[in-house]
Amino acid sequence: MLVGGLLAFSLSGCVNMQFIVYCRMYSHERWHTKSLVIATWLLDLCHSALVAVALWDSIIATYGDLDKLDVIPWSVGPGVELTAMITFLVQSFFAQRIHKLQKKRFTIAIPIVALSFFRLVTASISMGEMLSLKSYTAFRLRDFSSWIFTLGLLLSASVDIMITTFLCYFLRKNLTSFKDTIRIIDTLTLWTIQNGSITCAAAIASLVCWKVMPQNRIFLGLHFFVAKLYANSLLATLNARKQISNGKQYTPASDQLMPPVVFLEDFEHTPESSLPHGLSMQLDARRLKAGHLRGKSIQVNVERSVESKHDIDNSIEVDLTASCTRDSPV
């Protein structure tokens, strides 16, 4: 428990760092995305506080009293519930991404959200059982408690596998013949697999330890930092939107194109001066299609390049480039 708690505190520090980076880079983002980030951050802080209390009650307050080693501290149950709440928020976020990549269809997103919500319900039941029984042995030997806790961990891992699989599928489905797009989608696919595999592996490890050796607290130590991995997964995904392109840090002075996984709705209310050139052009195209630029003038640049191979007979190489610029009302 102590090792798991210390690792959880370290990962919580990463969550705080990611939250600060998000606030600095995406201060103009839409309110519901900000609300999701703030809620996840606050839940993570509360979870860290509960982990600290659980460690104090298990190690310091009961030091030398072997009779209390089997007592479940009151903070363990709410900690399990907060882990499920953070998991639900993060998995729902990725389900929304699948919904957008699937062209606004709900055939996959709804089952994912439903299973994640069911996992939250099982965590609530487990919390109630822990608060009621107040004994690790009683919780382990009671069939209903053991089964419901196992089901919660199994659902968490299963939903992670579903999210990773479908995200990778729809990303690969959007492959084009353009090398830059292929490179970016390959990067996003790798990023998705890494995020999904880490959270899934932690949930499976906690599940295996719970089933193989429930008499010790290794499963609980692993469970302490599962919530931190989910929170970091969400914040890292949001912060990476300006970093994935070309595999390096985005700077306002650069002129990099945003990766295609970025959804333009996330930047509709962002000032144009703070957007990279590529994303600004995409937003202008969307606003033009929606009629937001009606009555204004736009500048259309047309460039054509014609290139021929080296002519062996006449020793002539042709490289012709023609361009024109035209102002037209919308």
Side-chain angles (χ1 to χ4, degrees), residues 20-35:
I20 294 173
V21 171
Y22 174 85
C23 292
R24 295 184 61 182
M25 295 178 62
Y26 300 95
S27 58
H28 301 287
E29 197 158 39
R30 293 183 302 169
W31 65 269
H32 58 79
T33 306
K34 286 184 178 180
S35 301

Side-chain angles (χ1 to χ4, degrees), residues 18 26 93-94 163-164 167-168 171-172 183-199 229-245 247-249 259 261:
Q18 295 273 15
Y26 300 95
F93 166 79
F94 285 112
I163 290 173
T164 303
L167 275 178
C168 291
L171 283 173
R172 306 308 295 180
R183 176 187 55 78
I184 292 174
I185 290 181
D186 287 342
T187 303
L188 292 171
T189 302
L190 178 61
W191 185 279
T192 301
I193 293 174
Q194 289 175 343
N195 280 346
S197 61
I198 291 174
T199 54
L229 293 176
Y230 280 103
N232 273 294
S233 175
L234 169 65
L235 292 172
T237 299
L238 291 173
N239 290 338
R241 289 175 294 174
K242 291 184 179 179
Q243 300 173 3
I244 290 180
S245 181
K248 58 185 180 180
Q249 178 75 28
V261 78

Side-chain angles (χ1 to χ4, degrees), residues 67-128:
D67 294 334
K68 294 185 178 180
L69 286 178
D70 192 53
V71 176
I72 300 179
W74 68 267
S75 55
V76 171
V80 171
E81 175 70 7
L82 285 183
T83 297
M85 292 178 66
I86 295 174
T87 302
F88 175 73
L89 290 178
V90 175
Q91 290 178 340
S92 298
F93 166 79
F94 285 112
Q96 181 194 28
R97 292 314 195 194
I98 293 175
H99 166 65
K100 290 183 178 180
L101 287 173
Q102 204 189 2
K103 299 179 180 179
K104 306 293 184 178
R105 285 181 284 185
F106 293 94
T107 53
I108 297 176
I110 288 181
I112 288 176
V113 174
L115 290 175
S116 184
F117 180 76
F118 190 39
R119 186 264 187 278
L120 179 60
V121 173
T122 61
S124 300
I125 298 174
S126 296
M127 177 185 67

